[in-house]
Amino acid sequence: MEAANNAKHVVSISLGSSKRDAGAILEVGGRKISIERRGTDGDFDRARQLLEQWDGKADAIGLGGTDLYVYAGKKRYTFRESAHLIANVKKTPVLDGSGLKNSLERKLIESLAAGSKVPIKGSKVLMVCGVDRFGMAEALLEAGAEVTFGDLIFGLNVNKPLYSLKALAWWAALLAPLVTKLPVSWFYPMGKDQELRVVRHPEYFLENDIIAGEFHYIKKFMPDKLPGKTIITNTVTAADRVMLQEAGIKMLITTTPCIQGRSFGTNVMEAMLVALHGGKEPLTADEYLKLLEHYHIESSVEYFGTKE
């Protein structure tokens, strides 16, 4: 799609399915911004070509379908394969969403805990991957939720739930130096695999009140029916919403707003904020929060059942 004249232009290059491609021209704080998402169906060479093609042309680039960084405690781990993708991108900032996850998603949980729509304190939460969203993980525990982390269960197919940040950080410190050097496709669904459903350990989904975290993990491994559950996630399309409604989900909360029927990934929204900020990165968590407030960008809450 062509950007409107004088509009900021953000492109998300994703290793995910091209079936999820979308675009929009928005007006944010009186400024126009063109957003597009291009999936490469797991083709790393194609993704690298597109990243290099848009270098110097887009105002900011999002990297989707993979993480560049994951966090646990105060440590940051870099995925070697993802870093290789952007090695030759020199002019345009590339954002994977990790900075926004640590600010926006923490703020969302704090806001939910302070309100009455979603009881956080005392709720049982399955977080499908904690190292992917460490800010959300910390905020859930600080708000008094009982959290089960499924990093080993859904990332490595090892049936070992974790129940504390200390345990999560310990396992991350042990495994991340190795895992981040392996092919991302070994533990993260990409391309056509994002459309495949493989129910894995449904008991963890069924015994918790809230399912939180990476949507591709939730969608891939959840059972067909999850009556009365609340999901806190992102990157949900209109077709995904239909699937969740048919599964009996009571409430869907996306950490980024719903735009033209879908919530774009945090990498897209982070790239958008960096573009609006003048293409300067990295930004701090406080800077992201100030920009979110300035542009009135809020999370989306959607009821599929009867409002209580």
Side-chain angles (χ1 to χ4, degrees):
M1 59 178 290
E2 296 294 330
N5 290 338
N6 302 318
K8 293 289 185 179
H9 193 182
V10 168
V11 180
S12 173
I13 307 303
S14 175
L15 289 167
S17 172
S18 58
K19 292 181 179 179
R20 302 174 70 87
D21 283 358
I25 296 180
L26 312 177
E27 186 166 318
V28 181
R31 304 173 68 182
K32 287 187 177 179
I33 184 161
S34 170
I35 298 174
E36 58 180 301
R37 185 263 191 201
R38 296 192 175 187
T40 62
D41 300 309
D43 187 332
F44 274 78
D45 289 336
R46 176 60 176 157
R48 186 171 57 252
Q49 290 170 4
L50 286 172
L51 285 160
E52 293 174 5
Q53 174 185 318
W54 283 103
D55 186 25
K57 296 180 181 178
D59 293 284
I61 299 173
L63 177 64
T66 183
D67 285 320
L68 183 56
Y69 308 112
V70 290
Y71 296 81
K74 298 184 181 299
K75 292 186 178 180
R76 186 179 78 174
Y77 304 91
T78 302
F79 283 97
R80 183 170 63 183
E81 201 170 42
S82 300
H84 181 64
L85 284 173
I86 65 170
N88 294 325
V89 180
K90 305 297 186 181
K91 300 175 182 177
T92 301
V94 180
L95 295 311
D96 72 337
S98 56
L100 195 58
K101 289 174 186 177
N102 204 34
S103 51
L104 171 63
E105 299 189 344
R106 184 187 296 275
K107 177 186 175 184
L108 167 64
I109 299 302
E110 292 172 350
S111 176
L112 291 174
S116 58
K117 290 181 179 179
V118 183
I120 299 295
K121 186 175 182 179
S123 290
K124 298 180 67 177
V125 180
L126 169 63
M127 192 159 191
V128 290
C129 184
V131 295
D132 178 56
R133 286 171 155 82
F134 203 77
M136 180 187 286
E138 286 183 320
L140 283 166
L141 288 169
E142 288 168 3
E146 299 178 21
V147 184
T148 298
F149 296 106
D151 296 60
L152 300 178
I153 302 168
F154 303 110
L156 299 178
N157 198 16
V158 176
N159 187 13
K160 183 174 180 58
L162 306 176
Y163 298 105
S164 70
L165 290 178
K166 183 178 180 180
L168 182 64
W170 189 89
W171 279 99
L174 178 67
L175 296 174
L178 171 63
V179 168
T180 51
K181 292 178 173 62
L182 298 174
V184 178
S185 59
W186 284 18
F187 45 85
Y188 184 84
M190 59 179 56
K192 294 180 180 179
D193 284 346
Q194 291 182 346
E195 307 302 321
L196 300 176
R197 298 278 311 285
V198 181
V199 177
R200 179 180 294 174
H201 295 292
E203 64 273 18
Y204 295 111
F205 289 93
L206 295 170
E207 67 190 18
N208 285 279
D209 310 305
I210 298 172
I211 316 299
E214 169 60 48
F215 184 68
H216 290 305
Y217 277 148
I218 295 174
K219 178 181 178 180
K220 186 175 185 67
F221 299 121
M222 64 177 273
D224 292 334
K225 298 296 180 182
L226 279 176
K229 306 296 183 181
T230 293
I231 287 185
I232 304 175
T233 190
N234 214 331
T235 324
V236 179
T237 66
D240 294 330
R241 282 177 162 79
V242 172
M243 184 272 290
L244 292 173
Q245 190 168 15
E246 291 176 347
I249 298 301
K250 178 179 69 174
M251 185 186 303
L252 171 65
I253 301 171
T254 55
T255 56
T256 54
C258 181
I259 301 171
Q260 297 184 4
R262 68 166 292 162
S263 64
F264 284 88
T266 49
N267 75 89
V268 179
M269 302 307 291
E270 186 174 347
M272 184 184 80
L273 291 174
V274 168
L276 290 170
H277 194 60
K280 299 175 182 178
E281 57 94 17
L283 302 179
T284 66
D286 285 342
E287 286 174 320
Y288 280 122
L289 288 174
K290 288 178 181 177
L291 288 171
L292 291 167
E293 292 174 1
H294 177 73
Y295 291 114
H296 304 289
I297 298 173
E298 298 179 348
S299 302
S300 172
V301 179
E302 186 173 355
Y303 291 89
F304 290 149
T306 303
K307 294 184 180 182
E308 296 179 354

